Amino acid sequence: MKICVLIKQVPDKDSSLTIADDHLTLVENNITWVSNESDNYALEEALLLKEKHGGEVIACTLGKDSARQVLKDALAKGADRGIFISDSSFDNLDVLSLGKVIASTLEKENFDIIMSGLQSDDQGNSQLGLILAELLNMSHGSLVMGTEIIDDSTIRVKKELEGGWFQWTKLSLPASISIQSGINSPRYATLKGIMMVKKKTVDDVTASDISSDALESNVTINKIYVPDKTKETQFIEGSPEEISEKLVELFKNDIKVLN
Amino acid sequence: MKILVYIQQDEGKINSVSLEALKGSQEIAAQTGGTVSALSFNSDITSQLAGYNVSEVLLAEDDNLNIFNPLFYLKAMEDIAKAESPDIIVFGHSYEARDWAPRLSARLDIPLISDCIGFKMEDKLTFIRSIYQGKLNSDSVVNKGAFIVSFQSGAFRVDGLQSGSAEIRNVTVDLSGVSDSISPEEKFQEAEQAVDLTQADVIVSVGRGIGKEENIEMARELSKTLGGEIAASRPVVDAGWLESSRQVGSSGQTVSPKLYLALGISGAIQHVVGMKGSKNIVVINKDANAPLFEIADYGVVGDIFEIVPKLISVIQGS
């Protein structure tokens, strides 16, 4: 199996975000950057499939220079090589255009499986895996919570539906699979793995390597902002004792869930 | 502005997020002077759809559309989009829609603005998305041409749906050449699905802020002291600290208890959609910027590990 894993670099969930004066970007110097959470699960699933069935795992990211780190982390965990797509002309592309850039990069590799996290923790478009499936003529499955290789040409995936329902679906290979978080327990890099990173290759891809002529974004983000509060929140302050007393009053007299 | 809204059918009924998308479509039409066509792949719901204020109901029927299969749905929608030339195709952001709307975007080569929480009419029709796990919003516009938009659950209130009487028109689709490379099996529920959180008056819910598995016990004790159930946001369930049947949110249960007490939950949209209907939302979080405070009735900026033990003893002493 030749598996590609798409990994995006995003701000850590605990980062406090400050909007820059352009109302479009974030002040970057107080952000801790990490690999997107569900992408970590996708990488682990790819590594597990490789360990069981053999093959190759290639980590791919598209991002700014700092995003090389997510490839290093993936190589340290066991990915065999990396593909780093980066060019300032990609900065403001919408997700369909980014899909075209990535599809054009991955096309020549003839992957059996492309794995991605189901959603990025920054923009959260939740689209890329399916866009690639269409552009590269692959089958697809999204919100996947389990995988099982049936034979050289078929994978069976357990899809999460709403309200606690699931569904197994057979996919002919090649397939693009979007992984839901929680599917496995992502490993940590070992010291040996980290030492191996230097021996592995990362191929750089820039706009000049992209055959697609559709590098024009059709969606424009006009601004980003802190959401307006939709509710009047009454804040309760004091020492932990005082807060607890006030909460109990509230539970008894206003919300009426305590006698 | 010609709006085509796809209405998902679940067990013979209109999917609730689709119905909200229909309301959203009516609102967009009202503000842009457009028309709304509602599209269904199932005749069970068309007469109900015809009772809403839409210009027409389109019905595409084919044996291959009876059970959701993304490739067949895609080809059907591709045929219909070509025949009808809508300016906007609208979806409710259901899990089913997530499994084909993005691919439709690539198929038709038009953008999808996914998972919107609303829209507004400025110089252009502007769509609002929740980004960075609910911490920020963004305003997006489409530069030119047709596009697809999907709306998150809760974006519109269906009690304002306008009624009407529309004609039902059959449309034909040709699914003969569709690949069988995706074959869905029967749906199932995991056996452990035991807890019905929807019946609880009090829910004490924990998020990533709970830190580690041992700390769950403290929250469980508080839930018992309040005569309620313990629940969690997704990261806690993913870590295996609570069973998945206790998860609240888009992939778990949707609840509306008298009291929803959130401990260390930051408030990503996927969680919020499952609990924002609660009668009273009390949020305790040490991060004053946690997005969940935006929908809180009562907020405490503080350390759950200091407050919860005190709270338990105060309740027990009273």
Side-chain angles (χ1 to χ4, degrees), chain B:
Chain B
M1 192 70 81
K2 199 170 162 186
I3 302 165
L4 178 71
V5 54
Y6 170 74
I7 305 295
Q8 181 181 328
Q9 174 271 143
D10 296 328
E11 321 256 317
K13 293 196 182 107
I14 295 177
N15 168 274
S16 62
V17 190
S18 284
L19 201 58
E20 292 179 18
L22 175 63
K23 176 64 167 56
S25 302
Q26 288 183 342
E27 289 186 17
I28 295 171
Q31 295 207 24
T32 59
T35 60
V36 179
S37 300
L39 168 66
S40 169
F41 293 164
N42 190 300
S43 59
D44 289 349
I45 58 171
T46 42
S47 57
Q48 189 190 338
L49 277 177
Y52 293 116
N53 183 23
V54 292
S55 53
E56 60 180 347
V57 174
L58 305 182
L59 172 63
E61 279 194 294
D62 189 296
D63 286 346
N64 290 307
L65 298 175
N66 291 340
I67 292 167
F68 173 65
N69 181 318
L71 294 181
F72 288 94
Y73 276 42
L74 275 158
K75 179 59 167 59
M77 187 61 107
E78 182 187 1
D79 287 357
I80 293 161
K82 279 178 181 154
E84 306 290 329
S85 307
D87 299 300
I88 312 179
I89 301 173
V90 181
F91 284 89
H93 190 74
S94 65
Y95 273 30
E96 191 175 295
R98 292 175 72 149
D99 201 37
W100 68 294
R103 192 164 183 157
L104 183 69
S105 161
R107 173 82 53 99
L108 301 177
D109 199 20
I110 58 175
L112 161 61
I113 305 183
S114 51
D115 204 2
C116 297
I117 57 172
F119 79 94
K120 53 192 170 184
M121 197 62 202
E122 296 186 328
D123 294 341
K124 275 182 144 178
L125 195 51
T126 302
F127 294 93
I128 306 164
R129 302 186 68 248
S130 173
I131 58 175
Y132 294 100
Q133 301 278 298
K135 289 177 186 163
L136 302 177
N137 281 357
S138 68
D139 285 355
S140 300
V141 297
V142 175
N143 301 334
K144 61 176 190 314
F147 61 95
I148 309 167
V149 60
S150 70
F151 286 108
Q152 175 65 257
S153 160
F156 303 99
R157 293 179 60 95
V158 294
D159 51 11
L161 264 170
Q162 299 162 331
S163 54
S165 62
E167 296 289 321
I168 299 169
R169 174 160 65 91
N170 286 284
V171 290
T172 54
V173 293
D174 177 10
L175 306 181
S176 55
V178 176
S179 149
D180 60 358
S181 65
I182 299 178
S183 1
E185 300 173 16
E186 288 293 313
K187 297 176 184 180
F188 65 97
Q189 279 185 301
E190 309 253 271
E192 62 166 284
Q193 191 75 16
V195 191
D196 185 4
L197 297 175
T198 63
Q199 299 303 313
D201 274 345
V202 175
I203 291 177
V204 175
S205 196
V206 295
R208 285 192 323 126
I210 200 74
K212 50 185 176 181
E213 187 167 14
E214 299 90 279
N215 297 335
I216 299 280
E217 212 38 55
M218 170 185 91
R220 197 190 300 275
E221 193 184 343
L222 177 59
S223 72
K224 282 182 186 154
T225 312
L226 285 165
E229 293 283 354
I230 187 168
S233 64
R234 176 146 204 134
V236 172
V237 171
D238 283 349
W241 300 344
L242 273 176
E243 59 270 33
S244 62
S245 58
R246 292 194 179 271
Q247 186 183 325
V248 168
S250 54
S251 48
Q253 301 194 43
T254 300
V255 299
S256 51
K258 278 191 196 164
L259 169 62
Y260 192 89
L261 177 54
L263 306 176
I265 298 179
S266 72
I269 186 81
Q270 292 82 2
H271 183 72
V272 170
V273 295
M275 48 65 74
K276 68 180 173 189
S278 304
K279 315 298 183 285
N280 292 280
I281 297 170
V282 179
V283 173
I284 308 180
N285 200 309
K286 66 177 194 290
D287 176 9
N289 294 319
L292 200 61
F293 281 120
E294 284 156 29
I295 59 159
D297 299 286
Y298 303 93
V300 177
V301 179
D303 185 345
I304 56 174
F305 302 109
E306 289 179 3
I307 294 165
V308 171
K310 288 279 184 315
L311 184 56
I312 293 170
S313 66
V314 173
I315 297 169
Q316 286 171 340
S318 68

Side-chain angles (χ1 to χ4, degrees), chain A residues 38-104:
Chain A
S38 55
D39 300 350
N40 285 330
Y41 288 96
L43 173 63
E44 180 64 29
E45 198 64 17
L47 294 172
L48 291 171
L49 286 181
K50 178 191 151 184
E51 283 161 7
K52 202 164 170 190
H53 302 278
E56 192 185 10
V57 172
I58 293 98
C60 174
T61 194
L62 185 155
K64 297 181 178 172
D65 279 342
S66 64
R68 277 186 193 278
Q69 187 60 41
V70 304
L71 294 181
K72 285 184 189 160
D73 292 346
L75 296 174
K77 288 180 181 181
D80 299 286
R81 63 186 165 96
I83 301 174
F84 182 56
I85 309 172
S86 188
D87 197 297
S88 59
S89 65
F90 303 151
D91 279 357
N92 296 312
L93 293 184
D94 63 24
V95 61
L96 180 56
S97 303
L98 290 174
K100 289 174 184 174
V101 170
I102 295 171
S104 146

